[in-house]
């Protein structure tokens, strides 16, 4: 890892030194503050999370005790964000944080800068969003099953990005060295299996924009993987790949995505539901025999702008876990979510949303039989962006 860091630093400094000869330097950076204030009012039924109570889960669980199967009302403002964007010559830097840490304290989500090598290429270093995407129109804080980012913050990386325009197409290839193991595996599994890494992970993506019905449509695909060692000796290569598209048709936008994972069940951010006595469990990435567990997820969603102020959106999202699932605990087999929402733009920077979600979860119950649970959730969100 020490040699990798030295090589990376030397590579980046070489790019800077070669390009700086032709650059006209400026001493005055352009700094813009940005952020958002967001408030949730949420009612959840049959998707209670273990104490201390937090935002309701995106899964369902039967047999909750102490009356927790009834509707619970909660509020949440942790997604309120604050950041700064800095531009100077060929450098662009971003720093961003929110208040989702313990007791709503501020913590760092992203901190990176990128250097424009030329009009087509840029090089990024720092903590930024992973290359992989999990897209959904749902405004639910935990998103839909299969499409909830595991961590709100980014991952440390070195990234080379391109943008090339040819015959009405805009092609954006990306390749990055990323630290991915925390996105693939839970903290508990990292500790219990003594999982270590010796080299960074690698991610690659191709994003294509093309004209469609008078607007720009999008088609993309990505792959992320990183070598890990279980008990510091057994080598494995967990990976995730995805394909997605976004198609605008006048006031209607359709979007769909497919994601497949091998040894990376934590990637999709499924939240366990239950109480202090018992709860469902997301399967570990690797079984007791170190067999990689797999998952697949897909969604089909739509967003329709009724007027400049009013909109309606909805969709269906599905997640399945596969291979060597454990029936001795309450391991989740599949989870899906349906949602329907309306939005209202109070001003250009203020949006109100009302959304209704239905979750269905299949899992092994305490008798080691497959059971189905359903949960319903209603929430109002208010967001101001600046």
């Amino acid at each position: 890892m020490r040699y990798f860091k030295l090589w990376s630093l030397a590579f980046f400094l070489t790019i800077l030194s070669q390009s700086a000869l032709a650059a006209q330097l400026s001493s005055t950076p352009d700094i813009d503050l940005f952020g958002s204030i967001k408030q949730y009012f949420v009612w959840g039924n049959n998707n209670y999370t273990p104490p201390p109570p937090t935002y309701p889960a995106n899964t369902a669980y039967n047999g909750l005790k102490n009356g927790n199967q009834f509707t619970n009302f909660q509020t949440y403002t942790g997604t309120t964000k604050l950041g700064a964007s800095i531009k100077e010559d060929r450098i662009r830097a971003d720093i961003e944080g929110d208040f989702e840490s313990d007791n709503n304290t501020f913590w760092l989500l992203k901190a990176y800068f990128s250097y424009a090598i030329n009009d087509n290429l840029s090089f990024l270093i720092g903590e930024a969003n992973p290359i992989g995407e999990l897209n959904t129109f749902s405004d639910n804080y935990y998103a839909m099953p299969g499409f909830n980012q595991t961590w709100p913050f980014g991952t440390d990386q070195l990234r080379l990005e391109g943008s090339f325009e040819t015959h009405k197409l805009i092609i954006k290839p990306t390749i990055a060295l990323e630290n991915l193991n925390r996105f693939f595996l839970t903290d508990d599994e990292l500790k219990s299996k003594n999982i270590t890494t010796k080299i960074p992970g690698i991610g690659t993506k191709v994003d294509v924009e093309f004209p469609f019905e008078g607007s720009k449509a999008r088609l993309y695909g990505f792959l992320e993987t990183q070598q890990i060692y279980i008990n510091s000796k057994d080598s494995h290569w967990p990976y995730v790949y995805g394909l997605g598209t976004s198609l605008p048709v006048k006031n209607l936008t359709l979007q769909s995505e497919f994601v497949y994972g091998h040894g990376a069940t934590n990637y999709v951010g499924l939240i366990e539901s239950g109480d202090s006595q018992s709860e469902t469990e997301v399967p570990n990435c690797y079984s007791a025999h170190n067999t990689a567990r797999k998952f697949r997820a897909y969604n089909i969603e739509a967003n329709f702008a009724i007027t400049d102020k009013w909109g309606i959106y909805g969709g269906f999202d599905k997640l399945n876990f596969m291979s060597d699932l454990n029936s001795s605990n309450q391991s989740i087999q599949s989870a899906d979510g349906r949602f329907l929402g309306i939005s209202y733009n109070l001003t250009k920077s203020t949006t109100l949303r009302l959304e209704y979600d239905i979750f269905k979860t299949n899992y092994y119950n305490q008798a080691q039989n497959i059971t189905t649970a359903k949960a319903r959730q209603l929430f109002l969100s208010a967001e101001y962006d600046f």
Side-chain angles (χ1 to χ4, degrees):
M1 182 61 70
R2 181 182 63 182
Y3 298 109
F4 164 71
K5 290 182 177 179
L6 291 173
W7 175 86
S8 302
L9 180 60
F11 175 70
F12 186 59
L13 290 177
T14 300
I15 292 176
L16 285 177
S17 61
Q18 290 179 347
S19 301
L21 296 176
Q24 294 182 352
L25 300 180
S26 171
S27 60
T28 305
D30 183 10
I31 302 176
D32 292 319
L33 295 179
F34 65 89
S36 64
I37 299 171
K38 192 163 189 177
Q39 174 71 61
Y40 281 100
F41 301 92
V42 58
W43 293 261
N45 179 278
N46 218 34
N47 57 345
Y48 188 81
T49 51
T54 57
Y55 196 93
N58 57 7
T59 58
Y61 178 59
N62 291 329
L64 294 173
K65 299 182 179 180
N66 302 321
N68 293 328
Q69 68 272 23
F70 300 112
T71 299
N72 288 275
F73 170 73
Q74 293 167 323
T75 60
Y76 193 70
T77 56
T79 53
T80 294
K81 296 181 180 180
L82 182 63
S85 179
I86 306 166
K87 296 179 182 179
E88 182 180 9
D89 300 314
R90 294 176 177 265
I91 294 291
R92 177 182 174 180
D94 281 284
I95 301 174
E96 182 180 334
D98 68 13
F99 296 87
E100 289 195 73
S101 188
D102 294 340
N103 299 317
N104 286 343
T105 55
F106 188 81
W107 66 352
L108 186 67
L109 294 178
K110 302 168 191 173
Y112 65 88
F113 66 91
S114 63
Y115 177 76
I117 302 172
N118 53 42
D119 292 339
N120 302 110
L121 292 173
S122 63
F123 185 76
L124 178 149
I125 184 169
E127 184 176 349
N129 285 334
I131 280 183
E133 299 185 29
L134 296 174
N135 293 318
T136 176
F137 287 141
S138 171
D139 191 47
N140 196 321
Y141 167 65
Y142 279 136
M144 291 292 104
F147 295 90
N148 175 45
Q149 183 174 314
T150 302
W151 299 103
F153 40 77
T155 181
D156 298 330
Q157 59 188 279
L158 303 173
R159 180 192 296 185
L160 183 65
E161 299 175 303
S163 180
F164 305 91
E165 188 169 354
T166 171
H167 192 61
K168 297 183 180 181
L169 298 180
I170 301 177
I171 303 173
K172 299 178 180 179
T174 303
I175 187 168
L177 299 178
E178 306 175 283
N179 188 17
L180 297 165
N181 62 342
R182 198 175 182 187
F183 286 80
F184 290 161
L185 302 103
T186 65
D187 288 342
D188 289 342
E189 191 167 9
L190 287 170
K191 295 176 182 178
S192 64
K193 294 184 179 293
N194 191 25
I195 292 175
T196 57
T197 58
K198 296 182 180 179
I199 58 175
I202 186 169
T204 182
K205 180 170 68 175
V206 176
D207 192 327
V208 180
E209 294 181 0
F210 55 95
F212 185 81
E213 294 294 326
S215 299
K216 284 187 177 181
R218 182 172 176 248
L219 182 67
Y220 60 91
F222 65 86
L223 170 68
E224 292 181 298
T225 186
Q226 183 170 12
Q227 186 182 31
I228 65 169
Y229 291 88
I230 297 179
N231 294 320
S232 299
K233 59 179 181 179
D234 297 329
S235 174
H236 296 267
W237 284 89
Y239 63 85
V240 171
Y241 68 80
L243 299 169
T245 185
S246 176
L247 297 174
V249 183
K250 295 185 178 180
N251 292 345
L252 176 67
T253 301
L254 303 173
Q255 84 95 16
S256 181
E257 186 172 5
F258 173 83
V259 182
Y260 180 89
H262 175 97
T265 56
N266 188 51
Y267 191 87
V268 290
L270 201 63
I271 306 301
E272 298 166 342
S273 57
D275 58 19
S276 58
Q277 304 297 318
S278 184
E279 63 178 323
T280 57
E281 292 187 11
V282 175
N284 283 339
C285 295
Y286 290 87
S287 69
H289 306 290
N290 292 339
T291 300
R293 293 193 171 104
K294 306 170 185 177
F295 75 82
R296 61 172 177 259
Y298 67 89
N299 63 13
I300 302 173
E301 302 179 354
N303 189 354
F304 181 71
I306 302 172
T307 67
D308 290 341
K309 288 184 173 293
W310 289 95
I312 185 171
Y313 59 94
F316 173 77
D317 299 59
K318 178 75 173 181
L319 167 68
N320 287 92
F321 293 112
M322 302 168 286
S323 63
D324 196 23
L325 295 175
N326 187 359
S327 62
S328 62
N329 56 22
Q330 293 171 141
S331 176
I332 296 174
Q333 309 296 292
S334 66
D336 63 57
R338 297 169 175 85
F339 66 94
L340 181 65
I342 57 174
S343 62
Y344 177 71
N345 296 322
L346 189 63
T347 68
K348 290 183 178 180
S349 55
T350 308
T351 303
L352 306 178
R353 295 182 181 89
L354 180 67
E355 182 175 317
Y356 180 68
D357 302 336
I358 299 176
F359 301 112
K360 184 174 74 172
T361 307
N362 293 319
Y363 63 95
Y364 284 106
N365 58 21
Q366 292 177 329
Q368 300 183 20
N369 298 318
I370 292 289
T371 187
T372 299
K374 290 185 178 181
R376 292 169 176 81
Q377 189 168 315
L378 177 69
F379 67 85
L380 171 67
S381 68
E383 181 173 5
Y384 170 71
D385 297 315
F386 59 90

